[in-house]
Amino acid sequence: MAGLISGCAHPMPAGEKSATVSVQAQRPVGPQTHSAPGEVTEVAAGLRMPWGLSFLPDSSALISSRDTGEIHRVLADGTMTLLGHVDGVSDTAEGGLLGLAVSPDFQTHRTVFAYVSGQPSNRVVALRIDDDLTSFTVERTLVAGITTDNRHHGGRLAFDRDGNLWIGTGDAFDGTLAQDPSSLNGKVLRIRPDGSVPDGNPTGTPVFSMGHRNVQGIAFGPDGTVYASEFGHRTWDEVNVLRPGLNYGWPLAEGHQGDFGQRPIVTFHPDVASPSGIAHAGGSLWMASLRGQRLWQIPVHNGEVTGEPVAHFQGRWGRIRTVEVAPDGSLWLLTSNTDEATWGGNPPREGDDRLLRLELRATGG
């Protein structure tokens, strides 16, 4: 490991919250065990446009590189090994090799799923990792026909406790696709690992919900609640609770503005958020923020917000792309500063990009 970093968390400056965060409802709940940020350790540095992060059964992690299509395996001590690269990746402003998800049955089938932005369309593919964890082959395509463009690909993959694979897609910079039931864009998809449609999908297709702009975060509460983070346009980013067949409004509604679609449980101004990955741990959602350059903690219970969101590490590491719960209960974060620099943003900081490990400590209810 590169070393221990001061773990003190920074709350949002006074006065900022009321202007930039809107909570739809807060429901008082009984005593709960919550978590707060503890020590932060830099696991690895010098990463190239990291995007997807998923853990193997031995607690090592796989990380995708957006522009190169490479996948690396990283050990807890920072040792990094290149497994190979996925062919057919198109490096656009936001496209390339995006989300990764290790199969819950990895020990048997050795399968990892990847979201690929390429031509003629975006797709989700299954990779087979060799027995020595040193290389992979692309076995098959599970989902194809997701319209591609320069931006708004979505790209997050996540498995629920029933073994279903969830896929966040973007509207490909065409909001009409989000309201088109025949399109896979601007949707959240749910499939089985073999590509089939699970029971409970509302239309018998991979589409679980629609009316989304650009979903890059999916997480599950202990009660099975499905949460998704979504980029807004200019006014409100969203965190939604996903339910089958619901329409979340885009482009006819954004945040709480507009009279169409399901309302989010909390909204953020893009200046303080621009959310990518989310994770659920210790009674809260933890949301990575790109433009906002912070990690948001959102207390939730059974799909409702139970307290004011709190910002941690504001500006400490620049843009944060991904947050995942590790097998030991810590949070692993990926920064995204080499990515920003490619389309006119701030130059990377020395050592960018980074993989960070954040310990969580229990607090009172």
Side-chain angles (χ1 to χ4, degrees):
M1 295 186 186
L4 188 67
I5 304 172
S6 171
C8 115
H10 294 291
M12 190 166 43
E16 186 177 6
K17 187 175 299 181
S18 61
T20 57
V21 181
S22 174
V23 178
Q24 183 181 26
Q26 290 186 11
R27 183 171 67 88
V29 297
Q32 289 182 284
T33 299
H34 289 281
S35 294
E39 293 181 335
V40 181
T41 304
E42 185 178 276
V43 179
L47 305 179
R48 171 73 184 180
M49 293 194 197
W51 209 102
L53 170 67
S54 191
F55 290 91
L56 292 167
D58 67 354
S59 297
S60 64
L62 300 180
I63 296 175
S64 64
S65 177
R66 182 178 72 80
D67 66 330
T68 66
E70 294 177 339
I71 297 177
H72 287 82
R73 177 176 174 236
V74 184
L75 305 183
D77 65 1
T79 302
M80 185 175 298
T81 304
L82 174 64
L83 300 189
H85 73 278
V86 178
D87 292 332
V89 169
S90 295
D91 174 23
T92 59
E94 295 177 359
L97 182 60
L98 304 179
L100 299 175
V102 174
S103 170
D105 298 324
F106 181 85
Q107 297 282 39
T108 301
H109 301 294
R110 313 204 56 84
T111 305
V112 173
F113 298 89
Y115 189 107
V116 179
S117 169
Q119 294 294 336
S121 68
N122 295 346
R123 61 196 184 277
V124 177
V125 300
L127 315 175
R128 190 185 189 285
I129 310 296
D130 74 345
D131 292 341
D132 296 328
L133 302 177
T134 57
S135 65
F136 63 83
T137 55
V138 178
E139 281 195 325
R140 64 190 187 279
T141 298
L142 280 80
V143 179
I146 304 169
T147 298
T148 192
D149 202 282
N150 194 43
R151 299 169 65 186
H152 293 197
H153 302 281
R156 193 66 61 184
L157 304 180
F159 274 100
D160 65 21
R161 61 187 179 184
D162 296 321
N164 297 310
L165 179 62
W166 295 69
I167 305 160
T169 74
D171 67 2
F173 233 52
D174 179 358
T176 64
L177 295 178
Q179 292 298 324
D180 180 352
S182 68
S183 170
L184 297 178
N185 290 81
K187 311 295 191 298
V188 173
L189 313 178
R190 185 179 71 155
I191 61 173
R192 297 297 298 165
D194 62 1
S196 63
V197 176
D199 294 339
N201 279 22
T203 61
T205 72
V207 175
F208 186 85
S209 61
M210 62 186 296
H212 300 286
R213 184 171 183 264
N214 192 12
V215 173
Q216 290 191 8
I218 300 173
F220 309 97
D223 62 326
T225 299
V226 188
Y227 301 92
S229 59
E230 180 170 342
F231 285 85
H233 181 42
R234 302 194 191 283
T235 309
W236 294 113
D237 298 326
E238 302 179 359
V239 175
N240 289 293
V241 170
L242 300 183
R243 296 187 174 91
L246 291 188
N247 190 320
Y248 289 81
W250 176 256
L252 304 176
E254 179 182 355
H256 301 301
Q257 297 181 342
D259 297 326
F260 181 77
Q262 182 74 11
R263 291 291 190 259
I265 59 171
V266 59
T267 58
F268 299 80
H269 194 280
D271 285 345
V272 301
S274 297
S276 191
I278 57 172
H280 188 288
S284 294
L285 289 176
W286 303 84
M287 187 175 78
S289 297
L290 295 167
R291 187 173 173 184
Q293 299 189 15
R294 66 200 76 186
L295 179 68
W296 280 102
Q297 180 181 4
I298 310 165
V300 292
H301 180 72
N302 291 347
E304 296 186 53
V305 179
T306 60
E308 290 291 340
V310 179
H312 302 287
F313 312 117
Q314 183 176 336
R316 181 82 61 88
W317 297 292
R319 291 156 42 98
I320 303 176
R321 168 70 67 184
T322 296
V323 53
E324 293 286 349
V325 181
D328 66 0
S330 64
L331 297 179
W332 283 31
L333 314 176
L334 287 172
T335 68
S336 186
N337 298 311
T338 54
D339 184 284
E340 168 81 352
T342 62
W343 46 282
N346 295 325
R349 307 175 184 202
E350 184 177 356
D352 279 337
D353 268 312
R354 292 170 168 82
L355 172 63
L356 305 169
R357 179 184 181 273
L358 169 62
E359 292 185 9
L360 297 180
R361 53 183 177 83
T363 63

